[in-house]
Amino acid sequence: LQLCGIVMITMLLSSCSTTEKKEEEINNTYSDKNGSTEIEKDIPKETNVDTEEESVSINDSLAVRIPDVYEREEENVCFEAEVHCAESAKNGNIEIPAIQLQFLNRDRVADAILKDIVIVDESSSEWMTEDGSISTVFLYSGEQQQSLEIQPYRASYDTDYYRSYLYHAFDLERNAEKYATSGQLSFMTPDEALKDVINLLSDMGVELGSEPDDTYYVLDCQTLSEEEYAIDIDGNVDYAAYKSSWTEEDEAYYFCVWQTYGGIRIHCPNIEFIDKYEDFNAPIQAAISRDELLYLSLGRTFLMEADGKVQEMADLDTIADTVIHKFSMIITDASYRIDHMELVYYPEKTRGDAYEMRCAWILRITEELPDGGSSSFQMAVDAVSAEELY
């Protein structure tokens, strides 16, 4: 009996010692969470590694990710949108470069475009800009009725053939969908033709920066013949103005060109009071044939420089909230479907000729009415602040 008592006492003492150790471990853990430096020495290093990995995982889950497709339906708005976003911005961060409006050197522009043309007339006129300052426009006429107009940061050129015939057969707003946007003509490839346009702009002193992006149309003689349409001053069809015949000699490429930065197009409307992001509003447009430049419209272009500024974009749910809120305020039975979203840069005038760069989502929206009617339009939302731009 004495021996059994001694064994029981020993077991009780051992149990108490084990309980005290467990309480000490619990206290150590609690002290670590409250920042005790002394206890941290007794905690295995693996605990800190796990904590860091957990933190990284949480941060990754919170980061903005831009998907290839965005879907959401709420109230009278449905998103089933293809999302066009450059790889450089798919992580939700976008670089904002410093920009400066690019002004033209009049003599250099005239020399580049009119180098093989005999000039028969040259004149100038003045006009008042939006801010009240005076600007000068210079006009040149060639012996074969070529016309060149140069403004401080704009230039336009066309030939008699373009004005009299090609313009009546191809119009970006009227019938562009009738022409092919792939393939090539017999006299050169689209890449070769675009290179000629880019080289001409370089000769004019226009710097486009990184690789420009473009859409082109193949103006083949058969479609030109089918699409020709001319009217007189009374609005009647003017058959006398039609071309007698169309041949391969009349064919041309028509280019719509945008500057880019980081693979993202710069949406700077050619028509300053129309914001719409479409080919007809591309800042640079040109038509080129086998023999010559037929047409050039040069709008605002920018010199761009990285200055280390990076902004975090809003997630697409926040962008969608702006759209949904807008259309929920409209008293109508219509529904709104968004099928296309594209990320672009959007230069915004701040004062005078100064601009700052913003980035925006351009949304293609279809309004669908209960009677089956529908119409399409655009909406632009700031990609950072989610503010509606237009």
Side-chain angles (χ1 to χ4, degrees), residues 326-352:
K326 175 184 176 69
F327 294 119
S328 68
M329 302 296 288
I330 300 176
I331 301 176
T332 178
D333 293 327
S335 61
Y336 299 89
R337 181 170 51 85
I338 296 89
D339 64 3
H340 183 93
M341 302 174 67
E342 182 173 349
L343 183 68
V344 300
Y345 282 112
Y346 187 70
E348 183 178 58
K349 182 182 286 190
T350 54
R351 65 186 184 283

PDB file of all heavy atoms in Angstrom, residues 326-352:
ATOM      1  N   LYS A 326     -26.496  55.312 -63.480  1.00  0.00           N
ATOM      2  CA  LYS A 326     -26.945  56.269 -64.502  1.00  0.00           C
ATOM      3  C   LYS A 326     -28.284  55.846 -65.098  1.00  0.00           C
ATOM      4  O   LYS A 326     -29.235  56.651 -65.185  1.00  0.00           O
ATOM      5  CB  LYS A 326     -25.891  56.371 -65.613  1.00  0.00           C
ATOM      6  CG  LYS A 326     -26.314  57.258 -66.797  1.00  0.00           C
ATOM      7  CD  LYS A 326     -25.253  57.223 -67.887  1.00  0.00           C
ATOM      8  CE  LYS A 326     -25.683  58.013 -69.119  1.00  0.00           C
ATOM      9  NZ  LYS A 326     -25.734  59.462 -68.870  1.00  0.00           N
ATOM     10  N   PHE A 327     -28.393  54.566 -65.507  1.00  0.00           N
ATOM     11  CA  PHE A 327     -29.595  54.131 -66.199  1.00  0.00           C
ATOM     12  C   PHE A 327     -30.748  53.797 -65.254  1.00  0.00           C
ATOM     13  O   PHE A 327     -31.908  53.759 -65.678  1.00  0.00           O
ATOM     14  CB  PHE A 327     -29.270  52.951 -67.116  1.00  0.00           C
ATOM     15  CG  PHE A 327     -28.348  53.325 -68.239  1.00  0.00           C
ATOM     16  CD1 PHE A 327     -27.107  52.729 -68.387  1.00  0.00           C
ATOM     17  CD2 PHE A 327     -28.718  54.301 -69.148  1.00  0.00           C
ATOM     18  CE1 PHE A 327     -26.254  53.090 -69.410  1.00  0.00           C
ATOM     19  CE2 PHE A 327     -27.870  54.680 -70.184  1.00  0.00           C
ATOM     20  CZ  PHE A 327     -26.641  54.072 -70.311  1.00  0.00           C
ATOM     21  N   SER A 328     -30.436  53.574 -63.986  1.00  0.00           N
ATOM     22  CA  SER A 328     -31.511  53.357 -63.015  1.00  0.00           C
ATOM     23  C   SER A 328     -32.259  54.649 -62.716  1.00  0.00           C
ATOM     24  O   SER A 328     -33.389  54.623 -62.228  1.00  0.00           O
ATOM     25  CB  SER A 328     -30.947  52.772 -61.712  1.00  0.00           C
ATOM     26  OG  SER A 328     -30.133  53.733 -61.050  1.00  0.00           O
ATOM     27  N   MET A 329     -31.631  55.789 -63.031  1.00  0.00           N
ATOM     28  CA  MET A 329     -32.249  57.092 -62.799  1.00  0.00           C
ATOM     29  C   MET A 329     -33.174  57.510 -63.941  1.00  0.00           C
ATOM     30  O   MET A 329     -33.887  58.503 -63.836  1.00  0.00           O
ATOM     31  CB  MET A 329     -31.166  58.164 -62.600  1.00  0.00           C
ATOM     32  CG  MET A 329     -30.208  57.887 -61.450  1.00  0.00           C
ATOM     33  SD  MET A 329     -31.027  57.879 -59.860  1.00  0.00           S
ATOM     34  CE  MET A 329     -31.358  59.643 -59.677  1.00  0.00           C
ATOM     35  N   ILE A 330     -33.137  56.767 -65.043  1.00  0.00           N
ATOM     36  CA  ILE A 330     -33.952  57.094 -66.207  1.00  0.00           C
ATOM     37  C   ILE A 330     -35.285  56.358 -66.106  1.00  0.00           C
ATOM     38  O   ILE A 330     -35.325  55.144 -65.939  1.00  0.00           O
ATOM     39  CB  ILE A 330     -33.236  56.711 -67.511  1.00  0.00           C
ATOM     40  CG1 ILE A 330     -31.906  57.458 -67.630  1.00  0.00           C
ATOM     41  CG2 ILE A 330     -34.125  57.010 -68.723  1.00  0.00           C
ATOM     42  CD1 ILE A 330     -31.087  57.056 -68.838  1.00  0.00           C
ATOM     43  N   ILE A 331     -36.389  57.104 -66.167  1.00  0.00           N
ATOM     44  CA  ILE A 331     -37.710  56.502 -66.098  1.00  0.00           C
ATOM     45  C   ILE A 331     -38.075  55.993 -67.489  1.00  0.00           C
ATOM     46  O   ILE A 331     -38.486  56.748 -68.383  1.00  0.00           O
ATOM     47  CB  ILE A 331     -38.757  57.521 -65.605  1.00  0.00           C
ATOM     48  CG1 ILE A 331     -38.369  58.051 -64.228  1.00  0.00           C
ATOM     49  CG2 ILE A 331     -40.146  56.875 -65.559  1.00  0.00           C
ATOM     50  CD1 ILE A 331     -39.279  59.137 -63.706  1.00  0.00           C
ATOM     51  N   THR A 332     -37.888  54.723 -67.699  1.00  0.00           N
ATOM     52  CA  THR A 332     -38.109  54.119 -69.003  1.00  0.00           C
ATOM     53  C   THR A 332     -38.276  52.621 -68.848  1.00  0.00           C
ATOM     54  O   THR A 332     -37.861  52.035 -67.831  1.00  0.00           O
ATOM     55  CB  THR A 332     -36.913  54.405 -69.942  1.00  0.00           C
ATOM     56  OG1 THR A 332     -37.141  53.758 -71.194  1.00  0.00           O
ATOM     57  CG2 THR A 332     -35.626  53.873 -69.351  1.00  0.00           C
ATOM     58  N   ASP A 333     -38.890  51.998 -69.839  1.00  0.00           N
ATOM     59  CA  ASP A 333     -39.018  50.536 -69.863  1.00  0.00           C
ATOM     60  C   ASP A 333     -37.889  49.905 -70.667  1.00  0.00           C
ATOM     61  O   ASP A 333     -37.879  48.687 -70.864  1.00  0.00           O
ATOM     62  CB  ASP A 333     -40.365  50.135 -70.471  1.00  0.00           C
ATOM     63  CG  ASP A 333     -41.542  50.544 -69.590  1.00  0.00           C
ATOM     64  OD1 ASP A 333     -41.367  50.529 -68.359  1.00  0.00           O
ATOM     65  OD2 ASP A 333     -42.610  50.881 -70.136  1.00  0.00           O
ATOM     66  N   ALA A 334     -36.960  50.716 -71.124  1.00  0.00           N
ATOM     67  CA  ALA A 334     -35.850  50.199 -71.939  1.00  0.00           C
ATOM     68  C   ALA A 334     -34.865  49.429 -71.073  1.00  0.00           C
ATOM     69  O   ALA A 334     -34.759  49.647 -69.853  1.00  0.00           O
ATOM     70  CB  ALA A 334     -35.146  51.346 -72.647  1.00  0.00           C
ATOM     71  N   SER A 335     -34.144  48.528 -71.704  1.00  0.00           N
ATOM     72  CA  SER A 335     -33.037  47.832 -71.052  1.00  0.00           C
ATOM     73  C   SER A 335     -31.759  48.180 -71.787  1.00  0.00           C
ATOM     74  O   SER A 335     -31.783  48.579 -72.952  1.00  0.00           O
ATOM     75  CB  SER A 335     -33.263  46.320 -71.049  1.00  0.00           C
ATOM     76  OG  SER A 335     -33.356  45.825 -72.380  1.00  0.00           O
ATOM     77  N   TYR A 336     -30.628  48.014 -71.107  1.00  0.00           N
ATOM     78  CA  TYR A 336     -29.349  48.440 -71.665  1.00  0.00           C
ATOM     79  C   TYR A 336     -28.361  47.278 -71.591  1.00  0.00           C
ATOM     80  O   TYR A 336     -28.157  46.687 -70.525  1.00  0.00           O
ATOM     81  CB  TYR A 336     -28.822  49.662 -70.907  1.00  0.00           C
ATOM     82  CG  TYR A 336     -29.761  50.843 -71.006  1.00  0.00           C
ATOM     83  CD1 TYR A 336     -30.790  51.017 -70.079  1.00  0.00           C
ATOM     84  CD2 TYR A 336     -29.657  51.745 -72.061  1.00  0.00           C
ATOM     85  CE1 TYR A 336     -31.676  52.079 -70.190  1.00  0.00           C
ATOM     86  CE2 TYR A 336     -30.532  52.807 -72.178  1.00  0.00           C
ATOM     87  CZ  TYR A 336     -31.545  52.962 -71.244  1.00  0.00           C
ATOM     88  OH  TYR A 336     -32.427  54.010 -71.362  1.00  0.00           O
ATOM     89  N   ARG A 337     -27.786  46.962 -72.719  1.00  0.00           N
ATOM     90  CA  ARG A 337     -26.853  45.839 -72.812  1.00  0.00           C
ATOM     91  C   ARG A 337     -25.481  46.341 -73.235  1.00  0.00           C
ATOM     92  O   ARG A 337     -25.347  47.060 -74.225  1.00  0.00           O
ATOM     93  CB  ARG A 337     -27.376  44.806 -73.818  1.00  0.00           C
ATOM     94  CG  ARG A 337     -26.485  43.572 -73.989  1.00  0.00           C
ATOM     95  CD  ARG A 337     -27.196  42.506 -74.806  1.00  0.00           C
ATOM     96  NE  ARG A 337     -27.719  43.057 -76.043  1.00  0.00           N
ATOM     97  CZ  ARG A 337     -27.000  43.176 -77.166  1.00  0.00           C
ATOM     98  NH1 ARG A 337     -25.716  42.802 -77.179  1.00  0.00           N
ATOM     99  NH2 ARG A 337     -27.545  43.672 -78.259  1.00  0.00           N
ATOM    100  N   ILE A 338     -24.464  45.958 -72.481  1.00  0.00           N
ATOM    101  CA  ILE A 338     -23.073  46.344 -72.773  1.00  0.00           C
ATOM    102  C   ILE A 338     -22.346  45.102 -73.261  1.00  0.00           C
ATOM    103  O   ILE A 338     -22.246  44.103 -72.535  1.00  0.00           O
ATOM    104  CB  ILE A 338     -22.371  46.928 -71.526  1.00  0.00           C
ATOM    105  CG1 ILE A 338     -23.041  48.225 -71.083  1.00  0.00           C
ATOM    106  CG2 ILE A 338     -20.900  47.190 -71.818  1.00  0.00           C
ATOM    107  CD1 ILE A 338     -24.185  48.044 -70.116  1.00  0.00           C
ATOM    108  N   ASP A 339     -21.838  45.152 -74.498  1.00  0.00           N
ATOM    109  CA  ASP A 339     -21.174  43.971 -75.061  1.00  0.00           C
ATOM    110  C   ASP A 339     -19.694  44.188 -75.360  1.00  0.00           C
ATOM    111  O   ASP A 339     -19.017  43.271 -75.821  1.00  0.00           O
ATOM    112  CB  ASP A 339     -21.896  43.498 -76.324  1.00  0.00           C
ATOM    113  CG  ASP A 339     -21.862  44.521 -77.459  1.00  0.00           C
ATOM    114  OD1 ASP A 339     -21.220  45.586 -77.291  1.00  0.00           O
ATOM    115  OD2 ASP A 339     -22.481  44.267 -78.505  1.00  0.00           O
ATOM    116  N   HIS A 340     -19.201  45.403 -75.108  1.00  0.00           N
ATOM    117  CA  HIS A 340     -17.807  45.684 -75.454  1.00  0.00           C
ATOM    118  C   HIS A 340     -17.259  46.757 -74.522  1.00  0.00           C
ATOM    119  O   HIS A 340     -17.899  47.790 -74.315  1.00  0.00           O
ATOM    120  CB  HIS A 340     -17.715  46.160 -76.914  1.00  0.00           C
ATOM    121  CG  HIS A 340     -16.332  46.414 -77.396  1.00  0.00           C
ATOM    122  ND1 HIS A 340     -15.570  45.465 -78.045  1.00  0.00           N
ATOM    123  CD2 HIS A 340     -15.544  47.521 -77.329  1.00  0.00           C
ATOM    124  CE1 HIS A 340     -14.393  45.980 -78.362  1.00  0.00           C
ATOM    125  NE2 HIS A 340     -14.353  47.227 -77.940  1.00  0.00           N
ATOM    126  N   MET A 341     -16.078  46.504 -73.955  1.00  0.00           N
ATOM    127  CA  MET A 341     -15.389  47.481 -73.117  1.00  0.00           C
ATOM    128  C   MET A 341     -13.933  47.544 -73.565  1.00  0.00           C
ATOM    129  O   MET A 341     -13.292  46.509 -73.734  1.00  0.00           O
ATOM    130  CB  MET A 341     -15.441  47.087 -71.634  1.00  0.00           C
ATOM    131  CG  MET A 341     -16.836  46.921 -71.069  1.00  0.00           C
ATOM    132  SD  MET A 341     -16.839  46.295 -69.357  1.00  0.00           S
ATOM    133  CE  MET A 341     -16.108  47.694 -68.478  1.00  0.00           C
ATOM    134  N   GLU A 342     -13.419  48.752 -73.772  1.00  0.00           N
ATOM    135  CA  GLU A 342     -12.024  48.894 -74.198  1.00  0.00           C
ATOM    136  C   GLU A 342     -11.334  49.969 -73.364  1.00  0.00           C
ATOM    137  O   GLU A 342     -11.865  51.067 -73.188  1.00  0.00           O
ATOM    138  CB  GLU A 342     -11.930  49.248 -75.679  1.00  0.00           C
ATOM    139  CG  GLU A 342     -10.482  49.356 -76.178  1.00  0.00           C
ATOM    140  CD  GLU A 342     -10.371  49.550 -77.679  1.00  0.00           C
ATOM    141  OE1 GLU A 342     -11.391  49.390 -78.385  1.00  0.00           O
ATOM    142  OE2 GLU A 342      -9.260  49.869 -78.148  1.00  0.00           O
ATOM    143  N   LEU A 343     -10.149  49.635 -72.889  1.00  0.00           N
ATOM    144  CA  LEU A 343      -9.358  50.587 -72.115  1.00  0.00           C
ATOM    145  C   LEU A 343      -8.531  51.455 -73.048  1.00  0.00           C
ATOM    146  O   LEU A 343      -7.802  50.946 -73.902  1.00  0.00           O
ATOM    147  CB  LEU A 343      -8.428  49.848 -71.145  1.00  0.00           C
ATOM    148  CG  LEU A 343      -7.591  50.734 -70.212  1.00  0.00           C
ATOM    149  CD1 LEU A 343      -8.476  51.443 -69.191  1.00  0.00           C
ATOM    150  CD2 LEU A 343      -6.515  49.914 -69.507  1.00  0.00           C
ATOM    151  N   VAL A 344      -8.653  52.777 -72.911  1.00  0.00           N
ATOM    152  CA  VAL A 344      -7.896  53.716 -73.737  1.00  0.00           C
ATOM    153  C   VAL A 344      -7.315  54.813 -72.853  1.00  0.00           C
ATOM    154  O   VAL A 344      -7.762  55.016 -71.710  1.00  0.00           O
ATOM    155  CB  VAL A 344      -8.784  54.375 -74.816  1.00  0.00           C
ATOM    156  CG1 VAL A 344      -9.377  53.336 -75.746  1.00  0.00           C
ATOM    157  CG2 VAL A 344      -9.890  55.226 -74.180  1.00  0.00           C
ATOM    158  N   TYR A 345      -6.323  55.508 -73.379  1.00  0.00           N
ATOM    159  CA  TYR A 345      -5.877  56.759 -72.764  1.00  0.00           C
ATOM    160  C   TYR A 345      -6.746  57.880 -73.322  1.00  0.00           C
ATOM    161  O   TYR A 345      -7.174  57.839 -74.487  1.00  0.00           O
ATOM    162  CB  TYR A 345      -4.412  57.037 -73.080  1.00  0.00           C
ATOM    163  CG  TYR A 345      -3.437  56.238 -72.255  1.00  0.00           C
ATOM    164  CD1 TYR A 345      -2.633  55.245 -72.839  1.00  0.00           C
ATOM    165  CD2 TYR A 345      -3.281  56.477 -70.895  1.00  0.00           C
ATOM    166  CE1 TYR A 345      -1.714  54.526 -72.086  1.00  0.00           C
ATOM    167  CE2 TYR A 345      -2.370  55.754 -70.133  1.00  0.00           C
ATOM    168  CZ  TYR A 345      -1.597  54.779 -70.729  1.00  0.00           C
ATOM    169  OH  TYR A 345      -0.704  54.064 -69.979  1.00  0.00           O
ATOM    170  N   TYR A 346      -6.962  58.899 -72.486  1.00  0.00           N
ATOM    171  CA  TYR A 346      -7.867  59.981 -72.869  1.00  0.00           C
ATOM    172  C   TYR A 346      -7.259  61.314 -72.452  1.00  0.00           C
ATOM    173  O   TYR A 346      -7.386  61.727 -71.301  1.00  0.00           O
ATOM    174  CB  TYR A 346      -9.219  59.760 -72.185  1.00  0.00           C
ATOM    175  CG  TYR A 346     -10.314  60.712 -72.604  1.00  0.00           C
ATOM    176  CD1 TYR A 346     -10.877  60.645 -73.873  1.00  0.00           C
ATOM    177  CD2 TYR A 346     -10.803  61.669 -71.725  1.00  0.00           C
ATOM    178  CE1 TYR A 346     -11.897  61.503 -74.256  1.00  0.00           C
ATOM    179  CE2 TYR A 346     -11.823  62.539 -72.096  1.00  0.00           C
ATOM    180  CZ  TYR A 346     -12.366  62.441 -73.357  1.00  0.00           C
ATOM    181  OH  TYR A 346     -13.374  63.300 -73.735  1.00  0.00           O
ATOM    182  N   PRO A 347      -6.555  61.999 -73.378  1.00  0.00           N
ATOM    183  CA  PRO A 347      -5.964  63.295 -73.035  1.00  0.00           C
ATOM    184  C   PRO A 347      -7.063  64.322 -72.742  1.00  0.00           C
ATOM    185  O   PRO A 347      -8.018  64.453 -73.507  1.00  0.00           O
ATOM    186  CB  PRO A 347      -5.175  63.681 -74.288  1.00  0.00           C
ATOM    187  CG  PRO A 347      -4.995  62.408 -75.048  1.00  0.00           C
ATOM    188  CD  PRO A 347      -6.209  61.596 -74.758  1.00  0.00           C
ATOM    189  N   GLU A 348      -6.900  65.026 -71.641  1.00  0.00           N
ATOM    190  CA  GLU A 348      -7.895  66.035 -71.256  1.00  0.00           C
ATOM    191  C   GLU A 348      -7.229  67.405 -71.172  1.00  0.00           C
ATOM    192  O   GLU A 348      -6.205  67.566 -70.507  1.00  0.00           O
ATOM    193  CB  GLU A 348      -8.515  65.675 -69.912  1.00  0.00           C
ATOM    194  CG  GLU A 348      -9.615  66.620 -69.475  1.00  0.00           C
ATOM    195  CD  GLU A 348     -10.233  66.202 -68.159  1.00  0.00           C
ATOM    196  OE1 GLU A 348      -9.501  66.087 -67.159  1.00  0.00           O
ATOM    197  OE2 GLU A 348     -11.458  65.983 -68.128  1.00  0.00           O
ATOM    198  N   LYS A 349      -7.831  68.369 -71.872  1.00  0.00           N
ATOM    199  CA  LYS A 349      -7.284  69.722 -71.845  1.00  0.00           C
ATOM    200  C   LYS A 349      -7.514  70.334 -70.466  1.00  0.00           C
ATOM    201  O   LYS A 349      -8.621  70.287 -69.929  1.00  0.00           O
ATOM    202  CB  LYS A 349      -7.939  70.587 -72.921  1.00  0.00           C
ATOM    203  CG  LYS A 349      -7.381  72.011 -72.974  1.00  0.00           C
ATOM    204  CD  LYS A 349      -8.075  72.866 -74.027  1.00  0.00           C
ATOM    205  CE  LYS A 349      -7.641  72.488 -75.416  1.00  0.00           C
ATOM    206  NZ  LYS A 349      -8.118  73.474 -76.431  1.00  0.00           N
ATOM    207  N   THR A 350      -6.450  70.907 -69.892  1.00  0.00           N
ATOM    208  CA  THR A 350      -6.563  71.535 -68.574  1.00  0.00           C
ATOM    209  C   THR A 350      -6.647  73.050 -68.693  1.00  0.00           C
ATOM    210  O   THR A 350      -7.467  73.687 -68.039  1.00  0.00           O
ATOM    211  CB  THR A 350      -5.374  71.140 -67.687  1.00  0.00           C
ATOM    212  OG1 THR A 350      -4.137  71.452 -68.371  1.00  0.00           O
ATOM    213  CG2 THR A 350      -5.419  69.649 -67.379  1.00  0.00           C
ATOM    214  N   ARG A 351      -5.807  73.604 -69.543  1.00  0.00           N
ATOM    215  CA  ARG A 351      -5.847  75.057 -69.786  1.00  0.00           C
ATOM    216  C   ARG A 351      -5.034  75.336 -71.048  1.00  0.00           C
ATOM    217  O   ARG A 351      -4.014  74.685 -71.295  1.00  0.00           O
ATOM    218  CB  ARG A 351      -5.272  75.843 -68.607  1.00  0.00           C
ATOM    219  CG  ARG A 351      -3.801  75.588 -68.372  1.00  0.00           C
ATOM    220  CD  ARG A 351      -3.260  76.268 -67.110  1.00  0.00           C
ATOM    221  NE  ARG A 351      -1.831  76.075 -66.982  1.00  0.00           N
ATOM    222  CZ  ARG A 351      -1.267  74.955 -66.572  1.00  0.00           C
ATOM    223  NH1 ARG A 351      -2.028  73.919 -66.243  1.00  0.00           N
ATOM    224  NH2 ARG A 351       0.046  74.847 -66.481  1.00  0.00           N
ATOM    225  N   GLY A 352      -5.503  76.298 -71.847  1.00  0.00           N
ATOM    226  CA  GLY A 352      -4.763  76.639 -73.054  1.00  0.00           C
ATOM    227  C   GLY A 352      -4.456  75.421 -73.895  1.00  0.00           C
ATOM    228  O   GLY A 352      -5.352  74.677 -74.303  1.00  0.00           O
TER     229      GLY A 352
END
